[in-house]
């Protein structure tokens, strides 16, 4: 069954807190003038053909939600080029509507029903991952038009980089399109959290999101993947329980925590600009991790500390002021969402809510930038993305030609 979107009232999902030009601040929200200006290429073609791009993961896939989310962004970019509709689901056991609300003309389906294909015309194109040249040509042939411009594979963006010269045809096909914000504009037009997502995380709208939207706080997401989720899946196959490994997990987290502390000091000493020139009264860490132990240990070790006290008095931008750190985390279990494991709606909600919250910050620090869960979440709202091991901002787009084209 497909559901056309109606703009239903939903709990506040964020504030419009635009950046200072230095990478800190929030990407504008869907429905605001700033979003329309930033994402002007996303205006739909109301006279487009009767066609639909459908995104659904392969039921044999061992990947989690980020491959699927990246495919949604690609499908949206393709749909805008052709004026097609967009529809998505996550397989027969997940009722997405309990977690996400679609926006605009996007439809979400419950593929557990036999009606899944009934609303689809003959021009239906299914995506499960990246888009190759043959697929682009096939889409164009079916619709009687020249081949589509290839959308970026944002899932690989921070690992392989995106070269601007490779997407010049996309910038022509969609005037105003920018590689740096393409995923943020795409997903910003497709979904936001459903009010019923609070069934899976009761504090989501009452405490967690409000704490991430304080105007006078610097909010950092710390994404620390310990491997506990993967160990749970592996052990479960042989009927065993995966115990936590505190010493190992603390070592994994050390560089990311040190990076967060270093960035705090730079903000509080004035070396880095705060959002919109606002006075900082709080530092918030949004901790996303697959380890329950990590949540407890980081909260006990770092929550409530006076961060300004760590800055030498002569370097403090706000001398003698207490600026407390608040550590926020969810109750997620770290469930894996690989399609072949037939994840439930609760499993999907677990992963999706955490993924969504990563982007509700001023910047993201990941212990391993090669993991697409953290990097795609940062791209959802075009957040600065730091390699926790080097404490260096990652580059997404590179000028010039790709190495294999030289």
């Amino acid at each position: 069954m497909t559901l056309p979107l109606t703009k239903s009232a939903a709990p506040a999902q964020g504030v419009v807190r635009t950046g200072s030009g230095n990478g800190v601040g929030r990407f504008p929200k869907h429905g605001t003038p700033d979003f329309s200006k930033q994402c002007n290429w996303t205006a739909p073609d109301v006279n487009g053909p009767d066609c639909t791009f459908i995104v659904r993961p392969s039921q044999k896939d061992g990947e989690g939600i980020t491959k699927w989310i990246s495919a949604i962004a690609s499908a949206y970019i393709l749909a805008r080029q052709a004026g097609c509709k967009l529809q998505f689901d996550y397989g027969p056991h997940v009722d997405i509507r309990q977690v996400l609300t679609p926006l605009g003309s996007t439809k979400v389906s419950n593929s557990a029903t036999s009606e899944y294909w009934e609303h689809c015309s003959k021009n239906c194109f299914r995506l499960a991952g990246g888009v190759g040249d043959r697929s682009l040509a096939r889409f164009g042939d079916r619709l009687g038009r020249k081949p589509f411009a290839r959308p970026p594979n944002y899932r690989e963006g921070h690992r392989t980089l995106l070269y601007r010269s490779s997407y010049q045809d996309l910038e022509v096909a969609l005037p105003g399109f920018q590689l740096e914000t393409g995923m943020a504009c795409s997903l910003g037009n497709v979904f936001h959290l459903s009010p019923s997502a609070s069934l899976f995380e009761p504090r989501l709208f009452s405490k967690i999101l409000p704490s991430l939207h304080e105007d006078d706080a610097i909010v950092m997401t710390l994404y620390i993947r310990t491997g506990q989720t993967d160990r749970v899946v592996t052990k479960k196959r042989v009927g065993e329980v995966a115990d936590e490994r505190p010493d190992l997990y603390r070592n994994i987290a050390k560089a990311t925590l040190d990076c967060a502390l270093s960035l705090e000091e730079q903000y509080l000493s004035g070396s880095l600009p705060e959002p919109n020139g606002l006075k900082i009264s709080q530092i918030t860490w949004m901790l996303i991790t697959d380890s329950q132990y990590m949540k407890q240990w980081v909260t006990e070790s770092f929550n409530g500390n006076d961060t300004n006290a760590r800055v030498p008095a002569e370097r403090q931008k706000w001398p003698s002021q207490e600026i407390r750190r608040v550590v926020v985390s969810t109750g997620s279990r770290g469930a894996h969402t690989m399609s072949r494991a037939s994840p439930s709606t609760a499993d999907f909600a677990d992963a999706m809510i955490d993924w969504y919250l990563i982007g509700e910050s001023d910047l993201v620090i990941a212990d391993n930038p090669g993991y697409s869960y953290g990097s795609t979440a940062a791209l959802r709202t075009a957040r600065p993305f730091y390699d926790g091991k080097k404490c260096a901002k990652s580059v997404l787009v590179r000028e010039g030609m790709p190495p294999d084209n030289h």
Side-chain angles (χ1 to χ4, degrees):
M1 178 171 62
T2 58
L3 296 176
L5 172 77
T6 56
K7 291 186 177 180
S8 57
Q13 307 238 352
V15 294
V16 179
R17 191 168 105 179
T18 55
S20 59
N22 295 282
V24 180
R26 304 304 169 83
F27 195 77
K29 296 291 182 181
H30 178 270
T32 65
D34 283 340
F35 184 90
S36 297
K37 182 179 179 180
Q38 176 76 62
C39 304
N40 59 351
W41 61 271
T42 64
D45 181 357
V46 295
N47 297 313
D50 185 13
C51 54
T52 304
F53 282 92
I54 299 174
V55 183
R56 184 187 194 191
S58 167
Q59 296 305 292
K60 297 180 180 179
D61 206 332
E63 300 287 346
I65 63 170
T66 60
K67 181 178 179 180
W68 174 77
I69 291 168
S70 184
I72 290 176
S74 295
Y76 181 86
I77 293 169
L78 291 170
R80 288 285 69 77
Q81 291 183 60
C84 297
K85 303 178 184 66
L86 176 62
Q87 181 175 315
F88 59 87
D89 73 68
Y90 203 74
H93 304 290
V94 174
D95 184 356
I96 285 182
R97 292 165 295 189
Q98 292 192 45
V99 186
L100 299 175
T101 295
L103 300 173
S105 61
T106 305
K107 295 182 180 180
V108 59
S109 51
N110 179 357
S111 61
T113 72
S114 60
E115 302 173 4
Y116 176 69
W117 294 101
E118 287 186 8
H119 298 278
C120 193
S121 70
K122 63 179 180 180
N123 288 326
C124 287
F125 308 107
R126 178 175 167 182
L127 275 71
V131 183
D133 291 337
R134 293 177 63 181
S135 295
L136 293 174
R138 178 169 58 86
F139 299 157
D141 289 344
R142 290 270 295 275
L143 294 173
R145 54 160 290 163
K146 63 183 180 181
F148 291 87
R150 181 200 295 271
N153 183 356
Y154 281 109
R155 182 171 180 256
E156 301 294 333
H158 278 289
R159 286 189 284 203
T160 61
L161 300 183
L162 302 175
Y163 285 83
R164 199 179 305 281
S165 60
S166 300
Y167 298 95
Q168 291 177 344
D169 56 344
L170 183 55
E171 294 174 350
V172 172
L174 296 172
F177 178 88
Q178 295 180 323
L179 277 174
E180 291 86 348
T181 58
M183 188 165 184
C185 289
S186 298
L187 297 183
N189 274 285
V190 172
F191 59 68
H192 64 201
L193 291 175
S194 167
S196 58
S198 60
L199 296 173
F200 305 96
E201 174 48 76
R203 300 171 299 132
L204 182 59
F205 297 111
S206 61
K207 294 184 178 180
I208 295 176
L209 280 169
S211 71
L212 304 183
H213 298 155
E214 295 286 350
D215 284 335
D216 57 352
I218 289 288
V219 182
M220 306 180 185
T221 293
L222 281 62
Y223 172 50
I224 301 172
R225 177 172 169 171
T226 65
Q228 178 66 15
T229 293
D230 300 305
R231 293 184 66 245
V232 168
V233 172
T234 301
K235 292 288 187 179
K236 186 177 180 179
R237 289 174 186 160
V238 295
E240 298 178 5
V241 176
D243 296 328
E244 299 253 22
R245 299 178 174 180
D247 291 340
L248 173 62
Y249 294 172
R250 285 198 298 268
N251 287 334
I252 290 173
K254 184 179 186 307
T256 297
L257 295 170
D258 287 345
C259 181
L261 294 172
S262 174
L263 290 173
E264 280 185 356
E265 186 170 341
Q266 292 177 62
Y267 283 120
L268 296 177
S269 65
S271 299
L272 287 175
E274 64 280 3
N276 292 339
L278 296 173
K279 183 177 180 180
I280 299 174
S281 63
Q282 179 176 299
I283 301 286
T284 302
W285 286 4
M286 179 70 241
L287 177 63
I288 302 294
T289 179
D290 56 352
S291 165
Q292 300 303 315
Y293 167 80
M294 184 62 63
K295 294 176 186 179
Q296 179 181 348
W297 175 66
V298 172
T299 300
E300 291 176 351
S301 302
F302 295 93
N303 186 61
N305 297 350
D306 180 4
T307 60
N308 209 23
R310 298 181 57 254
V311 183
E314 66 276 10
R315 294 178 53 208
Q316 291 180 1
K317 187 171 184 178
W318 297 282
S320 304
Q321 178 183 337
E322 281 194 359
I323 300 177
R324 296 289 174 182
R325 183 189 304 110
V326 175
V327 178
V328 180
S329 63
T330 68
S332 65
R333 301 162 291 127
H336 207 298
T337 54
M338 64 175 72
S339 301
R340 68 186 182 199
S342 300
S344 65
T345 300
D347 294 335
F348 176 82
D350 217 40
M352 193 72 208
I353 291 171
D354 271 9
W355 180 88
Y356 194 96
L357 290 174
I358 288 175
E360 297 296 300
S361 60
D362 294 305
L363 59 92
V364 178
I365 310 170
D367 71 287
N368 187 334
Y371 291 135
S372 60
Y373 187 83
S375 62
T376 55
L379 287 169
R380 182 185 70 81
T381 49
R383 297 299 76 223
F385 185 65
Y386 283 80
D387 178 342
K389 291 184 172 64
K390 300 177 181 178
C391 205
K393 191 185 298 184
S394 176
V395 175
L396 175 67
V397 178
R398 182 165 291 182
E399 306 299 333
M401 300 293 292
D404 56 355
N405 287 358
H406 284 201

